[in-house]
Amino acid sequence: MLSKTIAFLDFEASGLSARSWPIEVGWAYPAKTKIKSLDDVVMLPPPKSMLISPYREWSMEAWDARASELHRIDLNDLKNNGEHVTKVCASLNAALGQFDVYSDAQSWDGFWLMRLFDAGGMRPKFKLNDFGLLMKRFIGKRDEEFNKAVSGFGNRRHRAGPDAAYLRNLFEIARGLQF
């Protein structure tokens, strides 16, 4: 049994270096009831996401053109459509402050979460947890059954909202195996 309601979080970033910074954050909530089949996943609530405007102290040298190509997010997108770091931080705290939040890349996502909140002069009201450990609780020794259930499920899209929803969907499938 989970201690409280959970949510799933994903970041996209300017690159994969110690100087990189977050460019997009997405989150998704689980279903209110257990889903019984892969078809039920399409009826789950859509994820939320926000583009993040580059903070003045983040180095443009950390902008990786390969990351931009992978995410299909360029600097103009961020400058024109990104939200200020304080608005993103406040939105995340409002949306996730009462949740146990899970990420499949806890180290990187935790790094970008701290970069974001440091820039915003705020602290997150939630802790980032390891998605792999959560999944072990639900899958246990049923790896083969789980892998069969998610075969053909599709790949991650390298956009924060859909990738958070992907984690949520994997969780829902694992949770549904308990029927």
Side-chain angles (χ1 to χ4, degrees):
M1 194 68 155
L2 296 170
S3 62
K4 61 182 182 178
T5 306
I6 63 174
F8 305 93
L9 179 115
D10 186 68
F11 276 98
E12 303 304 336
S14 64
L16 290 175
S17 74
R19 297 179 72 194
S20 64
W21 36 272
I23 64 171
E24 184 181 42
V25 62
W27 62 97
Y29 303 110
K32 295 185 191 283
T33 60
K34 292 181 185 177
I35 64 167
K36 296 180 182 176
S37 77
L38 192 57
D39 295 333
D40 293 340
V41 168
V42 298
M43 297 185 306
L44 294 173
K48 309 289 186 192
S49 66
M50 298 177 84
L51 289 175
I52 304 165
S53 184
Y55 184 62
R56 67 182 176 271
E57 294 179 20
W58 291 340
S59 171
M60 286 300 127
E61 291 177 15
W63 183 258
D64 185 336
R66 293 172 297 187
S68 177
E69 186 178 315
L70 179 67
H71 308 311
R72 294 187 178 103
I73 300 170
D74 64 33
L75 278 172
N76 286 331
D77 292 332
L78 299 178
K79 290 175 182 175
N80 296 328
N81 303 311
E83 300 291 348
H84 191 273
V85 293
T86 55
K87 181 175 181 178
V88 177
C89 293
S91 296
L92 286 173
N93 277 339
L96 302 173
Q98 300 301 314
F99 291 82
D100 284 331
V101 180
Y102 289 87
S103 163
D104 68 336
Q106 188 181 17
S107 293
W108 278 114
D109 287 340
F111 171 71
W112 294 314
L113 181 71
M114 287 301 104
R115 297 242 27 211
L116 175 66
F117 274 83
D118 285 347
M122 300 169 75
R123 292 183 184 263
K125 294 182 179 179
F126 56 92
K127 179 184 174 212
L128 203 54
N129 299 287
D130 184 353
F131 180 73
L133 294 177
L134 174 68
M135 292 298 283
K136 281 184 183 181
R137 291 172 57 192
F138 284 90
I139 296 173
K141 298 186 184 295
R142 302 168 86 181
D143 289 346
E144 189 174 317
E145 188 178 351
F146 176 74
N147 289 335
K148 183 179 177 184
V150 298
S151 67
F153 188 55
N155 295 321
R156 297 182 66 163
R157 296 186 182 152
H158 298 288
R159 288 300 300 257
D163 286 355
Y166 180 82
L167 297 178
R168 185 260 325 269
N169 296 349
L170 291 177
F171 167 77
E172 292 296 351
I173 292 166
R175 186 165 69 154
L177 291 177
Q178 295 183 332
F179 279 106

